[in-house]
């Protein structure tokens, strides 16, 4: 387990040194082998979704030529934010190992905790959400459903 954290830490340090993004690294592991590598690249890519876990998941999927990471685990230097947690769930990874938590990253200026609070209905003024009825969007869903089933 420590070797996976060591690699994630190494990736995070490389990202910091190269001014790519925040102090985060992650690896995806399958059958005791690292198959996906990632460090935060938000600044380098000018992409707010370029978190270490997302980069590692994309790398693993590309290497395995699949969107399904069943049987994999992810090791991250920090607790995944809600976006990364969602990507982990969507990719069918069933185990997460992390070191620092959302309270600790909040102390250095990251807003993960605010998003978790929003999802728990503790923050109200973060986002305004509007659902607009649109028949063409409903038809789009129905047409896709028929294609699958």
């Amino acid at each position: 387990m420590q070797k996976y954290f060591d690699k994630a830490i190494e990736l995070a340090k490389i990202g910091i040194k190269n001014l790519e993004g925040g102090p985060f690294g992650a690896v995806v592991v399958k059958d005791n082998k690292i198959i996906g590598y990632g460090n935060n690249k938000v600044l380098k890519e000018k992409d707010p979704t370029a978190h270490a876990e997302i980069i590692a998941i994309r790398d693993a999927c590309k290497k395995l030529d699949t969107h399904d990471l069943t049987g994999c685990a992810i090791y991250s230097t920090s607790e995944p934010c809600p976006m990364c947690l969602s990507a982990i769930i969507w990719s069918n990874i069933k185990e997460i190992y992390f070191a620092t938590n959302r309270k600790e990253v909040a102390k250095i200026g990251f807003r993960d905790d605010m998003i978790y609070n929003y999802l728990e209905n503790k923050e109200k003024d973060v986002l305004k959400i509007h659902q607009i009825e649109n028949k063409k969007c409903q038809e789009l869903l129905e047409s896709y459903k028929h294609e699958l089933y």
Side-chain angles (χ1 to χ4, degrees):
M1 184 178 300
Q2 187 57 47
K3 68 182 178 181
Y4 305 135
F5 278 113
D6 289 345
K7 188 60 177 178
I9 292 165
E10 177 187 330
L11 292 166
K13 287 181 177 179
I14 290 169
I16 293 167
K17 180 181 176 191
N18 294 332
L19 303 175
E20 294 178 336
F24 308 108
V27 295
V28 175
V29 175
K30 184 170 188 170
D31 299 327
N32 297 315
K33 293 172 87 175
I34 298 175
I35 57 163
Y37 300 85
N39 64 282
N40 186 291
K41 295 182 185 286
V42 168
L43 300 177
K44 178 184 180 189
E45 301 295 327
K46 296 175 180 48
D47 178 355
T49 69
H51 291 196
E53 296 90 345
I54 302 289
I55 301 294
I57 288 168
R58 289 174 181 165
D59 187 41
C61 287
K62 185 181 276 189
K63 286 178 180 165
L64 295 178
D65 193 30
T66 185
H67 66 281
D68 187 343
L69 297 178
T70 297
C72 295
I74 191 162
Y75 292 77
S76 179
T77 57
S78 191
E79 180 177 7
C81 74
M83 175 186 67
C84 292
L85 184 62
S86 296
I88 291 164
I89 292 168
W90 278 116
S91 68
N92 289 319
I93 292 174
K94 302 295 185 201
E95 290 185 274
I96 302 170
Y97 299 90
F98 66 88
T100 60
N101 64 45
R102 63 180 107 155
K103 303 287 185 199
E104 292 169 296
V105 299
K107 291 178 185 175
I108 63 167
F110 289 88
R111 302 176 294 162
D112 302 34
D113 205 34
M114 180 266 302
I115 300 169
Y116 276 106
N117 287 338
Y118 173 77
L119 293 171
E120 295 167 1
N121 288 318
K122 295 177 186 171
E123 294 264 349
K124 305 268 190 248
D125 298 330
V126 175
L127 185 64
K128 292 181 181 178
I129 299 176
H130 310 277
Q131 182 176 5
I132 308 298
E133 188 175 325
N134 187 307
K135 186 175 176 153
K136 289 181 181 180
C137 292
Q138 292 298 324
E139 290 169 357
L140 178 64
L141 289 180
E142 287 299 314
S143 69
Y144 186 77
K145 177 179 156 186
H146 296 314
E147 293 292 322
L148 289 176
Y149 304 103

Short mmCIF file of all heavy atoms in Angstrom, two decimals, residues 11-51:
data_model
loop_
_atom_site.label_atom_id
_atom_site.label_comp_id
_atom_site.label_asym_id
_atom_site.label_seq_id
_atom_site.Cartn_x
_atom_site.Cartn_y
_atom_site.Cartn_z
N LEU A 11 4.14 11.96 -7.83
CA LEU A 11 3.42 12.64 -8.91
C LEU A 11 2.98 14.03 -8.48
O LEU A 11 3.09 14.99 -9.25
CB LEU A 11 2.20 11.81 -9.33
CG LEU A 11 2.50 10.48 -10.03
CD1 LEU A 11 1.25 9.61 -10.07
CD2 LEU A 11 3.04 10.73 -11.43
N ALA A 12 2.48 14.14 -7.26
CA ALA A 12 2.05 15.46 -6.75
C ALA A 12 3.23 16.42 -6.70
O ALA A 12 3.10 17.59 -7.09
CB ALA A 12 1.43 15.30 -5.37
N LYS A 13 4.37 15.95 -6.25
CA LYS A 13 5.56 16.81 -6.16
C LYS A 13 6.02 17.26 -7.54
O LYS A 13 6.42 18.42 -7.72
CB LYS A 13 6.68 16.08 -5.44
CG LYS A 13 6.44 15.97 -3.95
CD LYS A 13 7.60 15.25 -3.25
CE LYS A 13 7.40 15.20 -1.75
NZ LYS A 13 8.50 14.49 -1.06
N ILE A 14 5.95 16.38 -8.52
CA ILE A 14 6.31 16.75 -9.89
C ILE A 14 5.36 17.85 -10.38
O ILE A 14 5.79 18.83 -10.99
CB ILE A 14 6.26 15.52 -10.82
CG1 ILE A 14 7.42 14.57 -10.49
CG2 ILE A 14 6.30 15.94 -12.30
CD1 ILE A 14 7.31 13.20 -11.15
N GLY A 15 4.07 17.67 -10.12
CA GLY A 15 3.09 18.68 -10.52
C GLY A 15 3.33 20.03 -9.88
O GLY A 15 3.20 21.06 -10.54
N ILE A 16 3.68 20.02 -8.60
CA ILE A 16 3.97 21.27 -7.90
C ILE A 16 5.21 21.93 -8.50
O ILE A 16 5.20 23.12 -8.82
CB ILE A 16 4.17 21.02 -6.39
CG1 ILE A 16 2.86 20.56 -5.75
CG2 ILE A 16 4.70 22.28 -5.70
CD1 ILE A 16 3.04 20.00 -4.34
N LYS A 17 6.26 21.13 -8.67
CA LYS A 17 7.53 21.65 -9.21
C LYS A 17 7.34 22.27 -10.59
O LYS A 17 7.91 23.31 -10.91
CB LYS A 17 8.56 20.52 -9.28
CG LYS A 17 9.89 20.94 -9.83
CD LYS A 17 10.86 19.78 -9.91
CE LYS A 17 12.15 20.22 -10.56
NZ LYS A 17 13.01 19.09 -10.88
N ASN A 18 6.50 21.64 -11.41
CA ASN A 18 6.27 22.12 -12.78
C ASN A 18 5.12 23.12 -12.88
O ASN A 18 4.70 23.45 -13.99
CB ASN A 18 6.01 20.93 -13.70
CG ASN A 18 7.23 20.05 -13.85
OD1 ASN A 18 8.36 20.50 -13.74
ND2 ASN A 18 6.99 18.76 -14.09
N LEU A 19 4.61 23.56 -11.73
CA LEU A 19 3.51 24.53 -11.68
C LEU A 19 2.28 24.07 -12.45
O LEU A 19 1.59 24.85 -13.10
CB LEU A 19 3.97 25.90 -12.20
CG LEU A 19 5.19 26.52 -11.50
CD1 LEU A 19 5.60 27.80 -12.19
CD2 LEU A 19 4.90 26.76 -10.04
N GLU A 20 1.99 22.76 -12.35
CA GLU A 20 0.85 22.19 -13.07
C GLU A 20 -0.46 22.34 -12.31
O GLU A 20 -1.53 22.41 -12.91
CB GLU A 20 1.12 20.72 -13.39
CG GLU A 20 2.26 20.54 -14.36
CD GLU A 20 2.58 19.10 -14.65
OE1 GLU A 20 2.28 18.20 -13.83
OE2 GLU A 20 3.14 18.85 -15.73
N GLY A 21 -0.38 22.32 -10.97
CA GLY A 21 -1.59 22.42 -10.17
C GLY A 21 -1.31 22.18 -8.71
O GLY A 21 -0.17 22.22 -8.26
N GLY A 22 -2.38 21.91 -7.97
CA GLY A 22 -2.30 21.74 -6.52
C GLY A 22 -1.53 20.49 -6.09
O GLY A 22 -1.14 19.67 -6.91
N PRO A 23 -1.36 20.35 -4.78
CA PRO A 23 -0.51 19.29 -4.22
C PRO A 23 -1.21 17.93 -4.12
O PRO A 23 -1.36 17.36 -3.04
CB PRO A 23 -0.19 19.83 -2.83
CG PRO A 23 -1.42 20.59 -2.44
CD PRO A 23 -1.89 21.22 -3.73
N PHE A 24 -1.64 17.41 -5.28
CA PHE A 24 -2.41 16.18 -5.28
C PHE A 24 -1.89 15.20 -6.33
O PHE A 24 -1.57 15.61 -7.45
CB PHE A 24 -3.89 16.49 -5.56
CG PHE A 24 -4.45 17.54 -4.65
CD1 PHE A 24 -4.72 18.81 -5.13
CD2 PHE A 24 -4.67 17.28 -3.31
CE1 PHE A 24 -5.22 19.80 -4.29
CE2 PHE A 24 -5.16 18.26 -2.46
CZ PHE A 24 -5.45 19.52 -2.95
N GLY A 25 -1.85 13.94 -5.94
CA GLY A 25 -1.46 12.87 -6.85
C GLY A 25 -2.35 11.66 -6.61
O GLY A 25 -2.88 11.48 -5.52
N ALA A 26 -2.47 10.82 -7.64
CA ALA A 26 -3.31 9.63 -7.52
C ALA A 26 -2.81 8.55 -8.48
O ALA A 26 -2.25 8.86 -9.53
CB ALA A 26 -4.77 9.96 -7.83
N VAL A 27 -3.05 7.31 -8.08
CA VAL A 27 -2.76 6.18 -8.96
C VAL A 27 -3.94 5.20 -8.91
O VAL A 27 -4.59 5.05 -7.89
CB VAL A 27 -1.45 5.44 -8.59
CG1 VAL A 27 -0.24 6.34 -8.79
CG2 VAL A 27 -1.49 4.90 -7.17
N VAL A 28 -4.19 4.57 -10.05
CA VAL A 28 -5.18 3.50 -10.14
C VAL A 28 -4.41 2.19 -10.18
O VAL A 28 -3.44 2.05 -10.93
CB VAL A 28 -6.07 3.66 -11.39
CG1 VAL A 28 -7.02 2.48 -11.55
CG2 VAL A 28 -6.86 4.97 -11.33
N VAL A 29 -4.87 1.24 -9.36
CA VAL A 29 -4.17 -0.03 -9.21
C VAL A 29 -5.11 -1.18 -9.56
O VAL A 29 -6.27 -1.19 -9.15
CB VAL A 29 -3.66 -0.19 -7.75
CG1 VAL A 29 -3.04 -1.56 -7.53
CG2 VAL A 29 -2.68 0.92 -7.41
N LYS A 30 -4.58 -2.14 -10.33
CA LYS A 30 -5.32 -3.37 -10.63
C LYS A 30 -4.34 -4.53 -10.55
O LYS A 30 -3.24 -4.46 -11.11
CB LYS A 30 -5.95 -3.30 -12.02
CG LYS A 30 -6.80 -4.52 -12.33
CD LYS A 30 -7.60 -4.34 -13.60
CE LYS A 30 -8.56 -5.51 -13.73
NZ LYS A 30 -9.53 -5.30 -14.78
N ASP A 31 -4.75 -5.57 -9.85
CA ASP A 31 -3.91 -6.76 -9.69
C ASP A 31 -2.51 -6.40 -9.20
O ASP A 31 -1.50 -6.89 -9.71
CB ASP A 31 -3.83 -7.54 -11.01
CG ASP A 31 -5.18 -8.02 -11.49
OD1 ASP A 31 -6.04 -8.36 -10.64
OD2 ASP A 31 -5.40 -8.06 -12.72
N ASN A 32 -2.47 -5.51 -8.22
CA ASN A 32 -1.23 -5.07 -7.58
C ASN A 32 -0.26 -4.37 -8.52
O ASN A 32 0.94 -4.30 -8.25
CB ASN A 32 -0.52 -6.26 -6.90
CG ASN A 32 -1.37 -6.84 -5.80
OD1 ASN A 32 -1.93 -6.10 -4.99
ND2 ASN A 32 -1.48 -8.15 -5.76
N LYS A 33 -0.76 -3.81 -9.61
CA LYS A 33 0.06 -3.04 -10.55
C LYS A 33 -0.58 -1.68 -10.77
O LYS A 33 -1.80 -1.58 -10.93
CB LYS A 33 0.19 -3.77 -11.89
CG LYS A 33 0.96 -5.08 -11.82
CD LYS A 33 0.87 -5.83 -13.12
CE LYS A 33 1.96 -5.37 -14.05
NZ LYS A 33 1.99 -6.17 -15.30
N ILE A 34 0.24 -0.66 -10.82
CA ILE A 34 -0.26 0.68 -11.14
C ILE A 34 -0.55 0.73 -12.64
O ILE A 34 0.34 0.47 -13.46
CB ILE A 34 0.74 1.77 -10.74
CG1 ILE A 34 0.97 1.75 -9.23
CG2 ILE A 34 0.24 3.14 -11.19
CD1 ILE A 34 2.04 2.72 -8.75
N ILE A 35 -1.79 1.07 -12.97
CA ILE A 35 -2.17 1.14 -14.39
C ILE A 35 -2.58 2.56 -14.80
O ILE A 35 -2.74 2.82 -15.99
CB ILE A 35 -3.31 0.16 -14.72
CG1 ILE A 35 -4.52 0.43 -13.84
CG2 ILE A 35 -2.84 -1.27 -14.60
CD1 ILE A 35 -5.78 -0.19 -14.36
N GLY A 36 -2.74 3.44 -13.83
CA GLY A 36 -3.10 4.81 -14.14
C GLY A 36 -2.39 5.78 -13.22
O GLY A 36 -2.32 5.54 -12.02
N TYR A 37 -1.85 6.85 -13.79
CA TYR A 37 -1.09 7.84 -13.04
C TYR A 37 -1.72 9.21 -13.23
O TYR A 37 -2.16 9.54 -14.34
CB TYR A 37 0.35 7.91 -13.57
CG TYR A 37 1.12 6.62 -13.48
CD1 TYR A 37 1.01 5.66 -14.47
CD2 TYR A 37 1.96 6.38 -12.41
CE1 TYR A 37 1.72 4.46 -14.39
CE2 TYR A 37 2.67 5.20 -12.31
CZ TYR A 37 2.55 4.24 -13.32
OH TYR A 37 3.25 3.07 -13.22
N GLY A 38 -1.73 10.00 -12.16
CA GLY A 38 -2.25 11.35 -12.31
C GLY A 38 -1.77 12.30 -11.23
O GLY A 38 -1.56 11.90 -10.10
N ASN A 39 -1.56 13.53 -11.63
CA ASN A 39 -1.34 14.61 -10.68
C ASN A 39 -2.22 15.77 -11.11
O ASN A 39 -2.71 15.81 -12.24
CB ASN A 39 0.14 15.02 -10.61
CG ASN A 39 0.65 15.59 -11.90
OD1 ASN A 39 0.95 14.84 -12.83
ND2 ASN A 39 0.77 16.91 -11.99
N ASN A 40 -2.46 16.67 -10.20
CA ASN A 40 -3.33 17.81 -10.49
C ASN A 40 -2.70 18.65 -11.60
O ASN A 40 -1.55 19.05 -11.51
CB ASN A 40 -3.52 18.64 -9.21
CG ASN A 40 -4.52 19.73 -9.40
OD1 ASN A 40 -4.26 20.69 -10.12
ND2 ASN A 40 -5.66 19.60 -8.74
N LYS A 41 -3.47 18.89 -12.67
CA LYS A 41 -3.00 19.66 -13.83
C LYS A 41 -3.94 20.82 -14.14
O LYS A 41 -4.01 21.28 -15.28
CB LYS A 41 -2.86 18.74 -15.04
CG LYS A 41 -1.79 17.66 -14.89
CD LYS A 41 -1.69 16.83 -16.14
CE LYS A 41 -0.73 15.69 -16.00
NZ LYS A 41 0.66 16.04 -16.00
N VAL A 42 -4.66 21.28 -13.14
CA VAL A 42 -5.64 22.35 -13.33
C VAL A 42 -4.99 23.60 -13.94
O VAL A 42 -5.53 24.20 -14.87
CB VAL A 42 -6.35 22.69 -12.01
CG1 VAL A 42 -7.15 23.97 -12.11
CG2 VAL A 42 -7.26 21.53 -11.59
N LEU A 43 -3.86 24.01 -13.42
CA LEU A 43 -3.20 25.22 -13.92
C LEU A 43 -2.59 25.00 -15.30
O LEU A 43 -2.76 25.83 -16.20
CB LEU A 43 -2.12 25.67 -12.94
CG LEU A 43 -2.60 26.02 -11.53
CD1 LEU A 43 -1.42 26.37 -10.63
CD2 LEU A 43 -3.62 27.14 -11.57
N LYS A 44 -1.92 23.89 -15.48
CA LYS A 44 -1.27 23.60 -16.76
C LYS A 44 -2.29 23.50 -17.88
O LYS A 44 -2.11 24.07 -18.96
CB LYS A 44 -0.47 22.31 -16.67
CG LYS A 44 0.19 21.92 -17.97
CD LYS A 44 0.89 20.59 -17.87
CE LYS A 44 1.53 20.25 -19.21
NZ LYS A 44 2.03 18.89 -19.24
N GLU A 45 -3.37 22.77 -17.65
CA GLU A 45 -4.37 22.53 -18.68
C GLU A 45 -5.44 23.63 -18.75
O GLU A 45 -6.26 23.61 -19.66
CB GLU A 45 -5.05 21.18 -18.44
CG GLU A 45 -4.10 19.99 -18.45
CD GLU A 45 -3.45 19.75 -19.79
OE1 GLU A 45 -4.09 20.01 -20.83
OE2 GLU A 45 -2.29 19.30 -19.80
N LYS A 46 -5.41 24.53 -17.75
CA LYS A 46 -6.47 25.55 -17.64
C LYS A 46 -7.83 24.86 -17.68
O LYS A 46 -8.74 25.26 -18.40
CB LYS A 46 -6.32 26.61 -18.73
CG LYS A 46 -5.03 27.40 -18.59
CD LYS A 46 -4.84 28.36 -19.73
CE LYS A 46 -3.58 29.16 -19.63
NZ LYS A 46 -2.36 28.44 -19.35
N ASP A 47 -7.93 23.81 -16.86
CA ASP A 47 -9.10 22.95 -16.84
C ASP A 47 -9.45 22.62 -15.39
O ASP A 47 -8.70 21.88 -14.73
CB ASP A 47 -8.79 21.66 -17.62
CG ASP A 47 -9.92 20.66 -17.62
OD1 ASP A 47 -10.95 20.87 -16.93
OD2 ASP A 47 -9.76 19.62 -18.28
N PRO A 48 -10.55 23.14 -14.87
CA PRO A 48 -10.90 22.89 -13.47
C PRO A 48 -11.24 21.44 -13.17
O PRO A 48 -11.35 21.06 -12.01
CB PRO A 48 -12.11 23.80 -13.23
CG PRO A 48 -12.70 24.02 -14.57
CD PRO A 48 -11.54 23.99 -15.54
N THR A 49 -11.39 20.60 -14.21
CA THR A 49 -11.66 19.18 -13.98
C THR A 49 -10.40 18.33 -14.02
O THR A 49 -10.48 17.11 -13.84
CB THR A 49 -12.66 18.63 -15.03
OG1 THR A 49 -12.03 18.58 -16.31
CG2 THR A 49 -13.93 19.46 -15.07
N ALA A 50 -9.25 18.92 -14.22
CA ALA A 50 -8.01 18.16 -14.37
C ALA A 50 -7.39 17.81 -13.00
O ALA A 50 -6.23 18.08 -12.73
CB ALA A 50 -7.01 18.92 -15.24
N HIS A 51 -8.20 17.18 -12.16
CA HIS A 51 -7.74 16.74 -10.84
C HIS A 51 -6.96 15.44 -10.97
O HIS A 51 -7.12 14.70 -11.95
CB HIS A 51 -8.93 16.53 -9.91
CG HIS A 51 -9.62 17.79 -9.52
ND1 HIS A 51 -10.48 17.85 -8.45
CD2 HIS A 51 -9.58 19.04 -10.03
CE1 HIS A 51 -10.95 19.07 -8.33
NE2 HIS A 51 -10.42 19.82 -9.29
#
